[in-house]
Amino acid sequence: MRSLARLLLITSLFVVGCGSDQTGFSKSDGGHPSGGPDAGLSAGGSGNGGAGGSKPTSNGGTQSAGGTTAQGGSGAMSMAGTGPGPGDAATGGTSGTPDSGSGSGGKMEQPDAATGGASAGTDSGALDSGPGGCPSGETSVGGKCLKDVLQTCTKATECGSGNCVGGVCCKVACDAPGACQKLDGTVCQNGDTCIYGPQMDGTSDAKCVSDKCSKPSTCFAGACTKGTPLDCADTDLCSVDTCDPAVGCTHTPIDVTKAGNACDDNNVCTTDTCSAAVGCQHGNADGVKAGCNDNNPCTTDICAGGTCNSTPLDCSSLTNGCNTGVCAAGVCKAQPANVNAACTLGLDACDTGGKCNASGACVASGNACGALSTACTPCTSGANCMNGRLCTCAQAAPVDIVVGGVCVANTDDCATNPCGAQGTACNDPTPNGSKKGDFTCTCAKGYGQKAAGQACTDVDECTGGPNPCVAGTCANTVGGYDCTCAAPLGKIQTATGPQCACNLSGTYALVANTTVSYPPISVLGIQTIEGSPAAGLPNVAWALRYNTIDAAKGTVTSQTVACGGTTQDLCDTAFGFAHAQYQPTQVYGQPAMISGFPTITTPLSGVVPGGAYTEAALVALSGIKLDNSAGAWPVCAECVGPTHPVGSSCTCPGGTAFTITNGAQWLNDPDGLGHLGFTTFDVPRGGVLTTAPNPPPFNYTEPSVCPRLRTGTKYGYAEFPGLATNNQAFLAYSWHAASRLQSTFKVDPTAAGQAISNTCSLSGGITGPDNGHAKAEARVQGCETCTTSDPAHPGVCWPTGACTQAQYDSYDKVTQNQQILAASFTLAPAPAGVGDLGAMLAMPDGAAKATAINNACALVRAAYPSVRK
């Protein structure tokens, strides 16, 4: 059943972030404090069971008033409770008497104040703010108040665990440092993990292993570092120096008389020797040497400079355009080549069309000045000397001209700028006499050439094709056009000119609907959790959008604020209960939670009634930050934190090691509830009711909708039963986690149910990187357990403290098994009364901003109600 915790955490966040269908937290014994599960034990709560412990059996949501003993006991702290009353027993503790015991009823700071403190007795005792009458953070052990794990200590006798490590109480003794570690500087992480101090860099430690090919290992940054390799080089350069880790350095002499020895360079043109002072030597053996011969009569073979050189007989003096110089039996000759190929051998600048004949001679076929030339004279200089020739052209009207040393007709149309004032370039494809009036023009924007040979004229963009305004009225202007747009459209600029597009500026409501299915879950072959119906179960998530239009760029920039969402009940057929989770209202207005949604910018071109819309991919983070928001997701909770930068290793439950490729850090208290990561709470027995100012869409009242797939009596709610990785059962009270959502919002007018309406409200689909669906991922940072056996809170699963490593690992290590069947969204102007979200976002962070956003979210949820499933 452990996989369902992961399922609940993820589906509650699915589309637009930190969603939940429940806000606030209230219990019949005084409520859960907004500052975290321990705040109500020391300073009174603010739950709905009574204002500040106003019930006769409540003391600010922590204990019954007046202490726990019949003799007066310990009373409440002066801050315990928020209800009115002049210090009576129902609102803050009873008065102590001199002979009623060792405790007092608590000092009455202001007898008529709303804090409800009781008048002081004459004997001063400890404040009853923890188990066994001990102060907060301490527990009675053997009649003594000893400090709990992670409390400040100076010696072991102060701690209930019996271990004082690094100034805090620790569950473990921290007395077995490893190699290159020491007790000095040891700290206790999370109350149950020893982080030993590193030995000084350079220290030798017998626990570090070395071999005979390196110097002894030393310590660096708290770990063994292998010593530098030994230098086995000796002074004899005629030996081969190596090192064997088991033996050490070895030195093998070089025998130059043996083939393949270390000094043999396999060169017949050198003599190999070895000197102990300078090593291998290779002297040049110049001249004719055996083995230096390619057996070709057209080459000369000889050793020179230590190299065997085969030099071809040089016959290149006989090579030209029509002949190739070749060697035959050691003799050079000219061999005719390239018959009928173009050549210039023996021709001058006035010859053209030279070709090689079969005898190797180059023969010209024409006058290089062209057919319009009457004479051609080779030249080297002069104003009319072009390409080495002086051409005389035949007379014509107009007079023939010489272009590049060729006589041509003067027919260049572009010489008179025929394209007009709006022409930016002119091109005549036949400037050499073949055709007149065939020029083409490049025209300025808003102008065009109707046909070749015509000047640039104004183009009427509003006729003869699609409306360039897309929607609205198009009016032609000289060199352009303009658009008139009727509400709800507005004019924007694009790369091709103005357009009409939906004016999406201002505050909008964003509602996402998803359908999720999941299979039954069995343990040891017995079904424990009922699967979803075949058609899946609907979830709804709400959000607010603030849109800003940049008409000059044609874009809309959107800021998103999550407003919660629904999740389905899980039907526990094994125990006959329903399980559910929720998040408190406060997360919706917290700045840290808002910042989990990046600002996105979307082009508005074509966003008109009946058109299409596509947002940039959205990556929303809650409770965590990543070096690359869309990069690798942490493989387990142990891979998150400042001690795991990119390139380092982390080890997940089960002992599997991974290399970090994307740094990840938990966000500290992003929802104001005092934990790393955001918090979700278990729905307790009896369900959860709330009278908070911003109520959720549903209250968890008995009975639930479970079971769904069969008739019969409906289940009540119960705390989620967990099974730790060590197979020990426990009850879960809250989870502290992180999530990432990757999605893209699109409107495809060709798809059923997707459209941009005439009022510019959008209905579309949600896609993403998970086989075309949005992708949601979660990591569990920690959790809190509870017990139903607390005599001070009968029938209530009261929080007992942080989960063990094995307990929250059981939630973090499982694989989610739900499937998204469908996902869609609606983006429409916000309901009346929501107000200006931009003004709310500009408010300074604090209670006023949170309240304003919460109230706006409540209106969105009320405007788009859904049925609980």
Side-chain angles (χ1 to χ4, degrees):
M1 292 194 294
R2 294 180 307 201
S3 62
L4 289 183
R6 182 77 169 274
L7 177 82
L8 283 167
L9 284 167
I10 293 177
T11 54
S12 66
L13 303 172
F14 177 61
V15 175
V16 289
C18 325
S20 169
D21 60 351
Q22 181 67 14
T23 57
F25 185 84
S26 174
K27 289 189 176 182
S28 60
D29 60 336
H32 187 281
S34 62
D38 294 333
L41 299 177
S42 60
S46 58
N48 299 314
S54 60
K55 288 190 176 182
T57 60
S58 174
N59 180 16
T62 56
Q63 295 183 0
S64 59
T68 59
T69 65
Q71 289 77 28
S74 298
M77 294 173 67
S78 62
M79 292 178 62
T82 59
D88 60 342
T91 59
T94 59
S95 302
T97 59
D99 56 352
S100 62
S102 61
S104 70
K107 184 178 179 180
M108 178 67 175
E109 296 291 335
Q110 295 178 349
D112 295 326
T115 55
S119 60
T122 58
D123 291 333
S124 176
L127 293 177
D128 184 11
S129 57
C134 295
S136 177
E138 297 185 11
T139 303
S140 177
V141 180
K144 293 182 179 182
C145 289
L146 299 183
K147 295 183 177 180
D148 297 331
V149 170
L150 288 181
Q151 299 298 311
T152 303
C153 62
T154 58
K155 52 188 176 180
T157 55
E158 297 176 353
C159 301
S161 65
N163 303 291
C164 182
V165 178
V168 298
C169 294
C170 187
K171 292 182 181 180
V172 295
C174 294
D175 55 4
C180 289
Q181 298 176 340
K182 61 180 181 179
L183 292 177
D184 184 24
T186 299
V187 295
C188 182
Q189 185 181 69
N190 297 327
D192 59 4
T193 302
C194 297
I195 305 299
Y196 291 101
Q199 292 191 29
M200 182 181 298
D201 291 349
T203 302
S204 297
D205 191 329
K207 297 177 183 177
C208 297
V209 179
S210 302
D211 60 42
K212 291 186 178 182
C213 284
S214 61
K215 294 182 179 180
S217 299
T218 59
C219 295
F220 179 77
C224 294
T225 302
K226 188 175 181 179
T228 57
L230 293 179
D231 184 4
C232 288
D234 59 11
T235 59
D236 183 2
L237 297 181
C238 288
S239 66
V240 179
D241 307 320
T242 58
C243 188
D244 186 334
V247 176
C249 294
T250 61
H251 310 282
T252 305
I254 297 173
D255 185 356
V256 297
T257 65
K258 293 183 178 181
N261 66 81
C263 284
D264 186 0
D265 65 354
N266 294 313
N267 187 350
V268 299
C269 291
T270 61
T271 300
D272 305 323
T273 60
C274 186
S275 168
V278 296
C280 294
Q281 301 293 300
H282 310 287
N284 294 338
D286 294 342
V288 177
K289 299 291 181 182
C292 180
N293 190 341
D294 65 354
N295 297 315
N296 185 347
C298 285
T299 61
T300 300
D301 309 315
I302 190 171
C303 285
T307 302
C308 181
N309 298 291
S310 297
T311 305
L313 188 64
D314 184 10
C315 299
S316 60
S317 61
L318 300 178
T319 299
N320 53 46
C322 295
N323 297 278
T324 302
V326 298
C327 175
V331 178
C332 290
K333 66 177 183 178
Q335 178 176 295
N338 306 321
V339 176
N340 290 324
C343 63
T344 59
L345 180 64
L347 303 183
D348 61 26
C350 286
D351 294 322
T352 184
K355 292 184 179 182
C356 296
N357 63 18
S359 300
C362 182
V363 180
S365 63
N367 183 352
C369 287
L372 298 180
S373 169
T374 58
C376 179
T377 304
C379 63
T380 57
S381 62
N384 296 321
C385 184
M386 298 181 183
N387 293 334
R389 57 184 172 268
L390 180 64
C391 297
T392 302
C393 300
Q395 297 298 314
V399 177
D400 296 334
I401 59 175
V402 177
V403 178
V406 178
C407 292
V408 297
N410 186 1
T411 60
D412 188 352
D413 293 325
C414 293
T416 59
N417 189 25
C419 294
Q422 300 302 325
T424 59
C426 176
N427 177 54
D428 184 355
T430 59
N432 55 0
S434 61
K435 190 175 182 181
K436 290 284 290 182
D438 59 344
F439 64 90
T440 58
C441 298
T442 301
C443 303
K445 184 178 181 181
Y447 295 83
Q449 186 182 30
K450 293 183 178 179
Q454 298 184 14
C456 294
T457 58
D458 177 60
V459 173
D460 186 352
E461 293 88 350
C462 298
T463 61
N467 183 358
C469 297
V470 182
T473 303
C474 177
N476 186 55
T477 62
V478 177
Y481 69 97
D482 198 8
C483 299
T484 301
C485 308
L489 305 181
K491 185 167 69 173
I492 62 171
Q493 293 296 324
T494 70
T496 59
Q499 283 187 13
C500 293
C502 284
N503 182 0
L504 299 179
S505 62
T507 304
Y508 274 68
L510 175 61
V511 183
N513 294 274
T514 60
T515 302
V516 179
S517 68
Y518 53 90
I521 297 178
S522 299
V523 176
L524 300 178
I526 301 175
Q527 177 180 297
T528 57
I529 300 298
E530 178 184 75
S532 67
L537 292 170
N539 288 318
V540 180
W542 298 270
L544 284 164
R545 275 276 181 93
Y546 186 70
N547 295 331
T548 303
I549 301 294
D550 187 336
K553 295 181 179 179
T555 60
V556 57
T557 299
S558 304
Q559 294 173 270
T560 303
V561 178
C563 288
T566 65
T567 58
Q568 60 274 4
D569 288 349
L570 297 179
C571 303
D572 188 335
T573 55
F575 296 102
F577 284 113
H579 303 303
Q581 294 172 267
Y582 71 96
Q583 295 171 349
T585 304
Q586 291 92 320
V587 304
Y588 302 144
Q590 290 295 326
M593 298 302 286
I594 295 171
S595 66
F597 290 87
T599 298
I600 59 173
T601 299
T602 304
L604 283 174
S605 178
V607 180
V608 295
Y613 175 86
T614 301
E615 286 187 357
L618 177 69
V619 180
L621 298 172
S622 299
I624 197 172
K625 63 179 181 179
L626 304 173
D627 290 350
N628 176 6
S629 61
W633 185 247
V635 293
C636 63
E638 284 76 5
C639 296
V640 181
T643 59
H644 298 298
V646 172
S648 64
S649 296
C650 60
T651 302
C652 293
T656 303
F658 296 90
T659 299
I660 303 296
T661 59
N662 190 21
Q665 307 292 327
W666 302 112
L667 289 184
N668 184 19
D669 194 19
D671 52 16
L673 297 179
H675 299 282
L676 295 177
F678 68 86
T679 307
T680 60
F681 287 102
D682 172 71
V683 174
R685 296 170 188 247
V688 176
L689 295 172
T690 181
T691 57
N694 294 287
F698 304 107
N699 284 339
Y700 287 88
T701 57
E702 306 283 17
S704 69
V705 298
C706 293
R708 295 186 184 89
L709 305 183
R710 63 189 184 195
T711 58
T713 303
K714 296 299 182 182
Y715 299 159
Y717 289 100
E719 290 76 11
F720 198 88
L723 188 65
T725 53
N726 58 10
N727 292 325
Q728 297 296 313
F730 66 100
L731 291 178
Y733 174 73
S734 67
W735 293 267
H736 316 305
S739 73
R740 175 173 68 178
L741 171 76
Q742 300 181 75
S743 60
T744 300
F745 287 43
K746 301 178 67 174
V747 176
D748 179 0
T750 65
Q754 298 190 31
I756 301 176
S757 73
N758 290 332
T759 60
C760 284
S761 292
L762 278 62
S763 299
I766 302 174
T767 65
D770 188 8
N771 294 321
H773 296 289
K775 185 175 184 179
E777 297 157 292
R779 286 265 72 90
V780 179
Q781 190 276 335
C783 59
E784 189 174 13
T785 60
C786 64
T787 180
T788 56
S789 60
D790 185 349
H793 307 91
V796 175
C797 198
W798 194 252
T800 58
C803 293
T804 65
Q805 182 78 34
Q807 288 169 335
Y808 69 76
D809 274 347
S810 69
Y811 289 114
D812 187 70
K813 70 179 293 186
V814 298
T815 301
Q816 64 190 75
N817 58 3
Q818 67 270 32
Q819 181 183 7
I820 303 166
L821 300 180
S824 62
F825 77 95
T826 298
L827 182 66
V834 167
D836 184 359
L837 179 61
M840 300 179 206
L841 294 175
M843 295 172 64
D845 293 341
K849 179 177 183 178
T851 298
I853 293 177
N854 284 342
N855 290 339
C857 282
L859 292 174
V860 171
R861 295 193 295 268
Y864 295 91
S866 64
V867 179
R868 181 165 183 77
K869 294 295 184 180

mmCIF file of all heavy atoms in Angstrom, residues 617-619 621 626-633 662 740 742 769 775 777:
data_model
loop_
_atom_site.group_PDB
_atom_site.id
_atom_site.type_symbol
_atom_site.label_atom_id
_atom_site.label_comp_id
_atom_site.label_asym_id
_atom_site.label_seq_id
_atom_site.Cartn_x
_atom_site.Cartn_y
_atom_site.Cartn_z
ATOM 1 N N ALA A 617 6.384 25.709 -23.203
ATOM 2 C CA ALA A 617 6.360 24.640 -22.208
ATOM 3 C C ALA A 617 6.543 25.231 -20.815
ATOM 4 O O ALA A 617 7.397 26.094 -20.594
ATOM 5 C CB ALA A 617 7.456 23.628 -22.508
ATOM 6 N N LEU A 618 5.718 24.770 -19.878
ATOM 7 C CA LEU A 618 5.727 25.278 -18.507
ATOM 8 C C LEU A 618 6.351 24.244 -17.584
ATOM 9 O O LEU A 618 5.958 23.084 -17.576
ATOM 10 C CB LEU A 618 4.295 25.583 -18.055
ATOM 11 C CG LEU A 618 4.116 26.063 -16.610
ATOM 12 C CD1 LEU A 618 4.698 27.455 -16.452
ATOM 13 C CD2 LEU A 618 2.636 26.088 -16.252
ATOM 14 N N VAL A 619 7.357 24.663 -16.814
ATOM 15 C CA VAL A 619 7.967 23.797 -15.804
ATOM 16 C C VAL A 619 7.713 24.444 -14.446
ATOM 17 O O VAL A 619 8.302 25.478 -14.129
ATOM 18 C CB VAL A 619 9.476 23.611 -16.043
ATOM 19 C CG1 VAL A 619 10.065 22.708 -14.967
ATOM 20 C CG2 VAL A 619 9.733 23.040 -17.419
ATOM 21 N N LEU A 621 7.774 24.225 -10.330
ATOM 22 C CA LEU A 621 8.444 23.530 -9.228
ATOM 23 C C LEU A 621 7.799 23.934 -7.915
ATOM 24 O O LEU A 621 7.466 25.112 -7.711
ATOM 25 C CB LEU A 621 9.936 23.869 -9.192
ATOM 26 C CG LEU A 621 10.759 23.467 -10.411
ATOM 27 C CD1 LEU A 621 12.164 24.041 -10.322
ATOM 28 C CD2 LEU A 621 10.830 21.954 -10.521
ATOM 29 N N LEU A 626 16.062 23.432 -8.851
ATOM 30 C CA LEU A 626 16.995 22.622 -9.629
ATOM 31 C C LEU A 626 17.934 23.538 -10.397
ATOM 32 O O LEU A 626 17.562 24.634 -10.805
ATOM 33 C CB LEU A 626 16.236 21.718 -10.615
ATOM 34 C CG LEU A 626 15.176 20.781 -10.029
ATOM 35 C CD1 LEU A 626 14.423 20.096 -11.152
ATOM 36 C CD2 LEU A 626 15.811 19.749 -9.125
ATOM 37 N N ASP A 627 19.185 23.080 -10.604
ATOM 38 C CA ASP A 627 20.100 23.836 -11.452
ATOM 39 C C ASP A 627 19.491 24.034 -12.833
ATOM 40 O O ASP A 627 19.543 25.106 -13.402
ATOM 41 C CB ASP A 627 21.447 23.092 -11.587
ATOM 42 C CG ASP A 627 22.230 23.097 -10.283
ATOM 43 O OD1 ASP A 627 21.819 23.829 -9.341
ATOM 44 O OD2 ASP A 627 23.241 22.382 -10.187
ATOM 45 N N ASN A 628 18.889 22.978 -13.378
ATOM 46 C CA ASN A 628 18.178 23.027 -14.654
ATOM 47 C C ASN A 628 16.757 22.570 -14.376
ATOM 48 O O ASN A 628 16.527 21.402 -14.084
ATOM 49 C CB ASN A 628 18.860 22.128 -15.692
ATOM 50 C CG ASN A 628 18.100 22.080 -17.003
ATOM 51 O OD1 ASN A 628 17.119 22.808 -17.187
ATOM 52 N ND2 ASN A 628 18.538 21.224 -17.909
ATOM 53 N N SER A 629 15.797 23.513 -14.436
ATOM 54 C CA SER A 629 14.432 23.186 -14.016
ATOM 55 C C SER A 629 13.830 22.038 -14.806
ATOM 56 O O SER A 629 13.011 21.283 -14.284
ATOM 57 C CB SER A 629 13.535 24.423 -14.141
ATOM 58 O OG SER A 629 13.476 24.858 -15.491
ATOM 59 N N ALA A 630 14.228 21.853 -16.076
ATOM 60 C CA ALA A 630 13.683 20.773 -16.905
ATOM 61 C C ALA A 630 14.664 19.615 -17.038
ATOM 62 O O ALA A 630 14.431 18.691 -17.801
ATOM 63 C CB ALA A 630 13.318 21.300 -18.295
ATOM 64 N N GLY A 631 15.762 19.636 -16.257
ATOM 65 C CA GLY A 631 16.773 18.590 -16.354
ATOM 66 C C GLY A 631 16.401 17.351 -15.568
ATOM 67 O O GLY A 631 15.237 17.136 -15.190
ATOM 68 N N ALA A 632 17.410 16.517 -15.275
ATOM 69 C CA ALA A 632 17.176 15.234 -14.603
ATOM 70 C C ALA A 632 16.549 15.456 -13.234
ATOM 71 O O ALA A 632 16.967 16.325 -12.460
ATOM 72 C CB ALA A 632 18.497 14.472 -14.469
ATOM 73 N N TRP A 633 15.506 14.654 -12.933
ATOM 74 C CA TRP A 633 14.825 14.694 -11.628
ATOM 75 C C TRP A 633 15.617 13.823 -10.645
ATOM 76 O O TRP A 633 16.132 12.778 -11.026
ATOM 77 C CB TRP A 633 13.399 14.192 -11.796
ATOM 78 C CG TRP A 633 12.538 14.283 -10.566
ATOM 79 C CD1 TRP A 633 12.045 13.244 -9.845
ATOM 80 C CD2 TRP A 633 12.067 15.477 -9.940
ATOM 81 N NE1 TRP A 633 11.286 13.723 -8.801
ATOM 82 C CE2 TRP A 633 11.281 15.088 -8.825
ATOM 83 C CE3 TRP A 633 12.234 16.830 -10.185
ATOM 84 C CZ2 TRP A 633 10.654 15.999 -7.982
ATOM 85 C CZ3 TRP A 633 11.612 17.743 -9.343
ATOM 86 C CH2 TRP A 633 10.829 17.332 -8.264
ATOM 87 N N ASN A 662 22.290 16.928 -12.204
ATOM 88 C CA ASN A 662 21.484 18.150 -12.079
ATOM 89 C C ASN A 662 21.307 18.444 -10.597
ATOM 90 O O ASN A 662 20.628 17.703 -9.888
ATOM 91 C CB ASN A 662 20.127 17.969 -12.763
ATOM 92 C CG ASN A 662 19.363 19.275 -12.874
ATOM 93 O OD1 ASN A 662 19.944 20.356 -12.814
ATOM 94 N ND2 ASN A 662 18.054 19.194 -13.036
ATOM 95 N N ARG A 740 7.448 18.455 -9.395
ATOM 96 C CA ARG A 740 7.683 19.193 -10.641
ATOM 97 C C ARG A 740 6.596 18.808 -11.632
ATOM 98 O O ARG A 740 6.256 17.639 -11.770
ATOM 99 C CB ARG A 740 9.057 18.860 -11.224
ATOM 100 C CG ARG A 740 9.268 19.519 -12.593
ATOM 101 C CD ARG A 740 10.667 19.351 -13.121
ATOM 102 N NE ARG A 740 10.990 17.993 -13.479
ATOM 103 C CZ ARG A 740 12.144 17.610 -14.008
ATOM 104 N NH1 ARG A 740 13.099 18.514 -14.222
ATOM 105 N NH2 ARG A 740 12.371 16.349 -14.310
ATOM 106 N N GLN A 742 5.545 19.380 -15.714
ATOM 107 C CA GLN A 742 5.934 19.848 -17.039
ATOM 108 C C GLN A 742 4.724 19.689 -17.960
ATOM 109 O O GLN A 742 4.213 18.575 -18.125
ATOM 110 C CB GLN A 742 7.115 19.042 -17.578
ATOM 111 C CG GLN A 742 8.367 19.132 -16.716
ATOM 112 C CD GLN A 742 9.516 18.342 -17.301
ATOM 113 O OE1 GLN A 742 10.132 18.747 -18.272
ATOM 114 N NE2 GLN A 742 9.818 17.206 -16.687
ATOM 115 N N PRO A 769 5.675 16.011 -21.858
ATOM 116 C CA PRO A 769 6.712 15.078 -22.290
ATOM 117 C C PRO A 769 6.460 13.621 -21.911
ATOM 118 O O PRO A 769 7.291 12.772 -22.211
ATOM 119 C CB PRO A 769 7.961 15.617 -21.566
ATOM 120 C CG PRO A 769 7.416 16.247 -20.321
ATOM 121 C CD PRO A 769 6.098 16.830 -20.708
ATOM 122 N N LYS A 775 3.637 15.824 -17.448
ATOM 123 C CA LYS A 775 4.444 14.931 -16.627
ATOM 124 C C LYS A 775 4.587 15.503 -15.229
ATOM 125 O O LYS A 775 5.048 16.629 -15.060
ATOM 126 C CB LYS A 775 5.828 14.733 -17.254
ATOM 127 C CG LYS A 775 6.690 13.718 -16.503
ATOM 128 C CD LYS A 775 7.994 13.469 -17.241
ATOM 129 C CE LYS A 775 8.823 12.394 -16.555
ATOM 130 N NZ LYS A 775 10.091 12.136 -17.300
ATOM 131 N N GLU A 777 6.163 14.760 -11.297
ATOM 132 C CA GLU A 777 7.129 13.967 -10.542
ATOM 133 C C GLU A 777 7.165 14.469 -9.103
ATOM 134 O O GLU A 777 6.875 15.641 -8.847
ATOM 135 C CB GLU A 777 8.521 14.092 -11.164
ATOM 136 C CG GLU A 777 8.587 13.551 -12.586
ATOM 137 C CD GLU A 777 9.723 14.143 -13.384
ATOM 138 O OE1 GLU A 777 9.661 15.349 -13.674
ATOM 139 O OE2 GLU A 777 10.672 13.414 -13.704
#
